[in-house]
Amino acid sequence: QQSGRRYNLFLKRRLRIDKRHQSKDSIFFRDGVRRIDFVLSYVDDLNKEWEKKLERRKEFESNLQKAGLELETEDKKESEDGKIYFVKIHAPWEVLITYAEVLNIKVPIKENDIPSMVENPLDCMLAPLRLPEHVMHPEPDYFTAPFSKDKQELYLINDESTFFSPSMRNRIVNYILTRCPYGTEEGKKKFGIKRLLNNGTYSAAYPLHDCQYWKKANDPNCDNERYTLYMEWARFLRFYKEQPLDLIRKYYGEKIGIYFAWLGFYTEMLFLAAVVGLICFLYGLFTMDENMSSKEICDPAIGGEIIMCPLCDRECEYWRLNTTCASSEYSHLFDNVATLFFAIFMGIWVTLFLEFWKRRQARLKYEWDLVDFEEEQQQLQLRPEYEAKCTQKKKNPVTQEMEPYLPITSQAVRFCISGTTVLFWVSLIIASMIAVIVYRLAVYAAFASLMENTQTLQPIRGLLTPQLATSVTASCLNFVIIMILNFLYERIAIWITDMEIPRTHMEYENRLTMKMFLFQFVNYYSSCFYVAFFKGKFVGYPGAYTYMFNRWRNEECDPAGCLIELTTQLTIVMAGKQIWGNIQEAIVPWICNWWGRRKARSNPENLYSRWEQDHDLQTFGPLGLFYEYLEMVIQFGFITLFVASFPLAPLLALMNNILEIRVDSWKLTTQYRRPVAAKAHSIGVWQEILNGMAILSVVTNAFIVAFTSDMIPRLVYYYAYFENEDSPMSGYINNSLSVFQISDFPARNEPKENPENFVICRYRDYRYPPDHERRYSHTMQFWHILAAKLAFIIIMEHVVFIVKFFVAWMIPDVPADVKAKIKREKYLTQKILHEYELEKLKERLCQGDKQTTQKEFIATEGRMELSRAM
């Protein structure tokens, strides 16, 4: 009986729609002519605020109609679940041209006559990577000028319905929606769709996708750009193809287009770094058998006879050096001569990347008509939230108009609260890192005892040393803590940025970016900084160890060095973040949309409308791109700040980014509602962050090579302290280990057992033996090595910085051909505009006040002559 009712309802709906002779998968009003530019949805719930919400909606929609927009409402009976109302919005021609002038939108005035670039002789080889021409360049190239209502005949208006692209149209409608008032509450004027979404008056506001992503629309007027993007860009099998940046920009707007352009360029540049890093890794792999240090450690006659001092107090036993044979061999993979070369190479690579990106960005600015785009036009407009919350007004010294402002006292209080909150959370990260360090110190003894006494672990003791076990488990624990703190801080950062009430959109994004990046920087990199620059540096020596909080003995590095532990830490945090990020970006939205997509595929299209299909998708919020940039910039830090410890980091990043481009494009095209188009002429404040990290990376890598790796001690031994001229590195291990007399152990440090009655043990340091008059103080070799390390840091930093600044000076930010094209376009555009004004003045000369018009005519001709001269 219930299924019969459902079938009758199905037939009624189908008949009702068939009467209109229009599919509900259409992106037009019921008349099939007016395009749907935006959709608002709401649920008519009968709660205590029902009347207030109803009043708000009536006022808001009435004001939208007064602003010139046309509305059409779909009753809840027409929706799939019978609960949701949909308000479809159309912007007619008069509204579009009015706000196109307000927003300074550039439109075509003449087809571009500048010849295209000379063909690349390698184009035939790159043909398999290319996309079809209609996908790469969906529109002809035009000279453009800002739109003016008074000069409509100047522009190439072939069809009013298609002159403004859908992305331009939804941008104009969104501008109106964010500023449209809906009444006065508590004595304050209320306006903007964002507030109405926050208070539940509307449940969603979004522009429509132009078709379903897996098939073309039946409507011949539909461009099917979403389908094209999915087939040519958003599928993983197209990973080797170039990105259709012009189509992305046309469909999603310049802001999203510039992100994918930057991500694609970054991935291309990573290819070179990945190849060089792989070569350095292979060098370490092929020279592993020639490494004298690991040979001596693994030799039973050398490493097997060296008794090392216990690595923890009381519980740990004396151990033989050759038990770390495997880890010393693996350490050579990353700690070799190629490491130094790669650190210098990456210092230069990062400069090339940033400089060539500036050139690529300049070319995009020209191609996408962003050359004269000023942030003031869009980003510096007052935020609706700022206008709503700031009740006091003062005169703007530039415009001489009254505008809202936030008093200095209120700003100071808000900044104090914000700064205190950020400081508290950064302190919380540092506290969590100290907790992980305490964990490492506390469990090391347990691992050492467990591996010594458990027979089942004996076969893998060579691979899994107590140091490695502690490092791996601590890295995993640290990664879990990082993810938890990230989850919490994201919400806190947005809350405190909202509380500051930034004046403009640009201020809001920049403040949030700096807060989030500062937190993420400390969160992700603090553990790597600890292993690289602090672990094993403040250990003391047997009998005089240093302790954290006077309880836990500080960690020592492996006899083969701390670099392998830094590599382990870096690999776990970097790889874990990338895997978790892709799961979060791809699988979570897919699961959330699974039910909606199931309905879309199972129901007839005339019963599951285009606005309902998009309503069931996830929201790509205003901070959607912010998180994408943040993820990539954090990855950029991993492959630059600590790359000397892990030459394979660029290769991991390259593989991740190839996947990232397709995951981001797939989720944007298939799993998210269409974002509102926005303009941007650069990657914004992220460029400055990347520049800062590039400079910092030179310093960190110099310190890693000097203090974390064994490169400098080995070179000092090779040139100054070698014992065998035929094999200068033989005897290095014995030379790098100092001698301690076991009878000098205080009771706190002495192991409980010494079954073999050892008399001396060795430890990693350069100190005099117990029988020397300066027993246990640093030897002259220690000071030689320290001086060499400091000299190396100074020399490497200066060399890399000089090369970086020279490369940056040699490479101009704007290519010469782009400069020429910009000048040519400006000249031709001015010429066209002046000729148009001359024609208008000639007409007025024939009709009206000849004296005044003649003066204007002479002035205009003079301006044209001046333009030609320039």
Side-chain angles (χ1 to χ4, degrees):
Q1 187 178 1
Q2 191 174 2
S3 62
R5 287 177 184 171
R6 286 180 180 173
Y7 183 70
N8 289 333
L9 180 63
F10 169 85
L11 289 177
K12 285 179 182 178
R13 287 188 186 176
R14 187 173 67 181
L15 289 170
R16 192 185 304 127
I17 295 161
D18 285 346
K19 287 176 183 177
R20 298 174 189 156
H21 303 290
Q22 185 201 9
S23 166
K24 287 184 76 176
D25 192 45
S26 171
I27 54 171
F28 294 93
F29 274 21
R30 294 189 192 108
D31 57 17
V33 176
R34 291 173 293 171
R35 187 186 186 97
I36 301 170
D37 297 313
F38 229 87
V39 175
L40 307 178
S41 68
Y42 63 90
V43 178
D44 204 2
D45 49 348
L46 299 175
N47 57 21
K48 60 182 180 180
E49 292 193 351
W50 175 73
E51 290 185 3
K52 187 182 288 186
K53 289 180 180 178
L54 180 63
E55 189 64 32
R56 288 173 186 155
R57 280 195 292 268
K58 282 185 178 178
E59 182 73 18
F60 186 68
E61 290 172 18
S62 171
N63 288 331
L64 289 179
Q65 289 175 321
K66 288 176 184 176
L69 297 177
E70 297 175 1
L71 310 182
E72 184 176 86
T73 303
E74 291 286 334
D75 193 84
K76 64 182 180 180
K77 295 175 184 177
E78 301 291 331
S79 66
E80 179 67 27
D81 58 5
K83 297 178 182 178
I84 304 174
Y85 290 86
F86 292 95
V87 180
K88 299 175 286 185
I89 301 174
H90 168 75
W93 175 252
E94 281 303 317
V95 172
L96 292 173
I97 60 176
T98 299
Y99 284 93
E101 187 169 7
V102 170
L103 294 174
N104 210 33
I105 291 175
K106 286 188 171 184
V107 294
I109 57 172
K110 181 185 177 183
E111 194 157 343
N112 193 337
D113 63 354
I114 299 175
S116 59
M117 293 177 63
V118 180
E119 288 190 9
N120 188 337
L122 298 176
D123 277 350
C124 57
M125 295 175 61
L126 299 175
L129 310 180
R130 303 293 187 200
L131 287 173
E133 183 64 20
H134 73 277
V135 176
M136 286 302 297
H137 304 289
E139 294 179 310
D141 192 14
Y142 294 103
F143 292 136
T144 59
F147 188 83
S148 173
K149 287 176 69 174
D150 301 331
K151 304 173 183 175
Q152 290 187 44
E153 58 269 33
L154 178 65
Y155 308 111
L156 301 179
I157 305 175
N158 298 320
D159 184 353
E160 290 183 357
S161 63
T162 59
F163 180 68
F164 293 104
S165 68
S167 61
M168 288 181 185
R169 297 173 71 101
N170 73 54
R171 192 167 136 238
I172 290 171
V173 173
N174 183 67
Y175 181 86
I176 298 170
L177 289 173
T178 54
R179 285 159 176 78
C180 182
Y182 60 85
T184 304
E185 296 177 10
E186 300 173 359
K188 293 182 180 179
K189 187 179 179 182
K190 301 288 184 179
F191 58 88
I193 187 63
K194 188 175 179 180
R195 280 179 170 273
L196 292 172
L197 291 170
N198 290 339
N199 61 32
T201 304
Y202 289 100
S203 58
Y206 53 94
L208 289 180
H209 283 294
D210 64 355
C211 66
Q212 294 168 334
Y213 69 86
W214 65 85
K215 68 174 183 178
K216 291 185 177 180
N218 295 326
D219 194 329
N221 295 321
C222 179
D223 294 329
N224 295 299
E225 289 173 348
R226 186 190 188 193
Y227 171 79
T228 305
L229 284 169
Y230 174 70
M231 297 301 294
E232 302 290 349
W233 177 54
R235 295 189 299 163
F236 183 72
L237 292 178
R238 314 291 282 179
F239 74 91
Y240 61 94
K241 293 283 189 179
E242 61 184 335
Q243 296 187 85
L245 294 176
D246 288 347
L247 185 57
I248 296 167
R249 171 244 183 172
K250 183 186 175 190
Y251 192 75
Y252 291 116
E254 287 81 1
K255 195 169 186 178
I256 289 176
I258 207 90
Y259 163 73
F260 280 103
W262 176 81
L263 181 56
F265 183 79
Y266 171 44
T267 305
E268 290 170 16
M269 289 293 291
L270 272 176
F271 182 78
L272 175 62
V275 169
V276 177
L278 182 61
I279 292 170
C280 292
F281 174 78
L282 292 175
Y283 171 83
L285 183 65
F286 293 139
T287 59
M288 189 185 291
D289 295 335
E290 302 170 13
N291 180 27
M292 185 59 70
S293 298
S294 58
K295 278 183 180 180
E296 291 187 347
I297 291 174
C298 298
D299 189 346
I302 302 175
E305 296 298 322
I306 295 177
I307 307 302
M308 301 296 293
C309 296
L311 292 167
C312 64
D313 295 336
R314 303 294 294 165
E315 298 297 329
C316 294
E317 298 179 350
Y318 300 102
W319 52 286
R320 297 183 185 276
L321 183 58
N322 64 350
T323 57
T324 61
C325 173
S327 63
S328 69
E329 290 178 334
Y330 295 140
S331 180
H332 179 72
L333 291 173
F334 308 106
D335 191 358
N336 54 65
V337 178
T339 302
L340 172 60
F341 165 76
F342 192 60
I344 295 172
F345 167 80
M346 286 302 291
I348 299 168
W349 173 88
V350 74
T351 304
L352 291 172
F353 163 64
L354 293 172
E355 291 303 316
F356 282 126
W357 165 246
K358 288 177 188 176
R359 291 169 63 83
R360 180 79 177 102
Q361 193 169 254
R363 194 174 294 278
L364 285 174
K365 282 173 69 173
Y366 166 73
E367 292 174 356
W368 291 356
D369 297 320
L370 299 169
V371 172
D372 297 323
F373 172 74
E374 296 292 337
E375 294 289 353
E376 288 81 0
Q377 295 170 9
Q378 305 298 323
Q379 299 295 333
L380 294 186
Q381 291 168 348
L382 295 180
R383 294 172 64 237
E385 295 84 355
Y386 181 86
E387 294 178 298
K389 291 179 181 178
C390 299
T391 53
Q392 299 185 40
K393 295 194 174 185
K394 68 175 182 180
K395 185 179 286 187
N396 187 311
V398 178
T399 62
Q400 293 296 305
E401 294 180 359
M402 298 299 290
E403 63 178 32
Y405 84 104
L406 193 64
I408 296 294
T409 52
S410 179
Q411 287 185 43
V413 171
R414 292 171 188 275
F415 277 126
C416 286
I417 296 171
S418 172
T420 306
T421 307
V422 172
L423 192 62
F424 167 77
W425 278 88
V426 170
S427 303
L428 191 63
I429 299 171
I430 295 171
S432 69
M433 186 192 73
I434 292 172
V436 172
I437 294 171
V438 169
Y439 163 83
R440 298 171 75 115
L441 302 178
V443 303
Y444 180 80
F447 276 122
S449 177
L450 181 68
M451 292 181 180
E452 186 68 33
N453 301 321
T454 306
Q455 293 299 319
T456 53
L457 296 177
Q458 291 295 327
I460 61 168
R461 279 189 62 197
L463 295 172
L464 190 65
T465 61
Q467 292 100 319
L468 186 59
T470 304
S471 182
V472 170
T473 56
S475 298
C476 294
L477 177 63
N478 182 64
F479 176 71
V480 172
I481 292 173
I482 284 171
M483 291 295 108
I484 294 171
L485 289 175
N486 272 353
F487 177 79
L488 297 173
Y489 183 76
E490 282 177 9
R491 285 140 187 84
I492 297 295
I494 293 170
W495 175 75
I496 58 179
T497 307
D498 287 339
M499 182 203 64
E500 291 174 7
I501 318 179
R503 185 172 181 272
T504 65
H505 293 287
M506 177 182 277
E507 279 184 29
Y508 184 89
E509 286 190 13
N510 288 352
R511 289 185 190 181
L512 182 62
T513 298
M514 295 311 297
K515 288 184 185 71
M516 285 295 293
F517 177 73
L518 174 64
F519 177 85
Q520 299 267 27
F521 184 91
V522 179
N523 199 16
Y524 278 107
Y525 303 142
S526 57
S527 57
C528 293
F529 271 99
Y530 164 71
V531 175
F533 307 123
F534 296 98
K535 184 181 176 182
K537 309 298 186 291
F538 309 100
V539 177
Y541 63 93
Y545 289 119
T546 54
Y547 290 81
M548 178 179 282
F549 307 129
N550 204 31
R551 180 176 178 182
W552 291 286
R553 190 172 119 190
N554 285 350
E555 283 185 285
E556 296 181 41
C557 287
D558 191 277
C562 264
L563 199 70
I564 189 69
E565 293 188 46
L566 178 58
T567 304
T568 304
Q569 177 80 22
L570 189 66
T571 306
I572 289 174
V573 175
M574 181 181 174
K577 180 187 181 303
Q578 292 179 348
I579 293 168
W580 175 252
N582 284 321
I583 290 172
Q584 210 173 16
E585 289 182 19
I587 296 177
V588 173
W590 182 83
I591 292 173
C592 293
N593 291 330
W594 175 77
W595 180 251
R597 192 172 71 254
R598 181 174 173 271
K599 288 192 295 184
R601 287 181 182 272
S602 61
N603 287 346
E605 67 173 28
N606 60 350
L607 294 184
Y608 193 60
S609 62
R610 164 104 327 265
W611 43 92
E612 285 181 278
Q613 292 173 35
D614 285 10
H615 180 269
D616 288 340
L617 298 176
Q618 299 297 297
T619 304
F620 191 80
L623 297 177
L625 274 187
F626 167 80
Y627 293 116
E628 301 297 342
Y629 275 118
L630 184 62
E631 179 186 1
M632 288 296 103
V633 169
I634 293 297
Q635 183 206 83
F636 181 81
F638 280 124
I639 69 159
T640 53
L641 296 176
F642 307 102
V643 76
S645 68
F646 190 35
L648 291 179
L651 181 62
L652 284 182
L654 174 65
M655 292 189 294
N656 173 79
N657 287 9
I658 290 171
L659 180 64
E660 180 78 21
I661 290 173
R662 304 304 157 178
V663 167
D664 286 351
S665 58
W666 173 80
K667 72 178 185 183
L668 201 61
T669 308
T670 68
Q671 304 301 308
Y672 282 91
R673 295 172 188 160
R674 186 174 184 170
V676 177
K679 273 187 174 286
H681 71 310
S682 69
I683 61 174
V685 71
W686 297 109
Q687 182 80 36
E688 300 307 316
I689 290 174
L690 292 173
N691 288 332
M693 293 180 77
I695 293 171
L696 181 61
S697 69
V698 177
V699 180
T700 55
N701 283 303
F703 272 85
I704 287 171
V705 173
F707 284 98
T708 310
S709 79
D710 262 7
M711 177 78 62
I712 304 301
R714 285 201 294 262
L715 290 174
V716 170
Y717 179 81
Y718 183 89
Y719 288 107
Y721 289 90
F722 64 90
E723 298 170 359
N724 185 344
E725 290 187 3
D726 297 330
S727 179
M729 285 308 296
S730 61
Y732 169 72
I733 290 297
N734 186 62
N735 175 266
S736 66
L737 298 174
S738 298
V739 178
F740 182 76
Q741 190 167 309
I742 290 174
S743 59
D744 293 337
F745 264 128
R748 178 180 184 178
N749 305 135
E750 188 176 6
K752 291 180 180 178
E753 298 179 359
N754 184 6
E756 299 185 47
N757 297 318
F758 297 125
V759 178
I760 62 168
C761 64
R762 309 292 293 273
Y763 59 99
R764 183 184 169 85
D765 208 342
Y766 293 92
R767 293 179 183 270
Y768 288 111
D771 56 356
H772 195 277
E773 59 181 11
R774 298 178 61 191
R775 58 185 297 179
Y776 303 139
S777 61
H778 284 122
T779 64
M780 188 56 67
Q781 186 175 353
F782 170 84
W783 300 110
H784 287 166
I785 290 171
L786 181 61
K789 287 179 177 180
L790 296 176
F792 169 81
I793 290 170
I794 293 169
I795 293 169
M796 178 178 167
E797 284 182 0
H798 280 70
V799 168
V800 175
F801 277 132
I802 288 170
V803 174
K804 278 169 66 72
F805 291 131
F806 179 73
V807 168
W809 174 75
M810 284 286 291
I811 302 174
D813 291 349
V814 182
D817 66 308
V818 172
K819 283 183 180 178
K821 287 179 179 179
I822 291 170
K823 289 178 180 178
R824 168 75 177 158
E825 180 166 349
K826 280 185 176 179
Y827 165 72
L828 290 176
T829 304
Q830 286 178 345
K831 183 181 177 184
I832 292 167
L833 289 172
H834 293 332
E835 286 175 353
Y836 171 81
E837 289 178 12
L838 280 174
E839 289 298 320
K840 285 292 181 185
L841 287 170
K842 285 178 182 177
E843 291 177 10
R844 288 173 60 189
L845 273 171
C846 299
Q847 297 171 1
D849 183 0
K850 291 190 176 182
Q851 188 174 0
T852 305
T853 310
Q854 195 164 11
K855 289 180 181 178
E856 291 181 18
F857 180 77
I858 294 168
T860 304
E861 277 198 319
R863 201 161 68 223
M864 282 188 68
E865 290 298 325
L866 182 63
S867 174
R868 290 192 191 100
M870 291 172 67

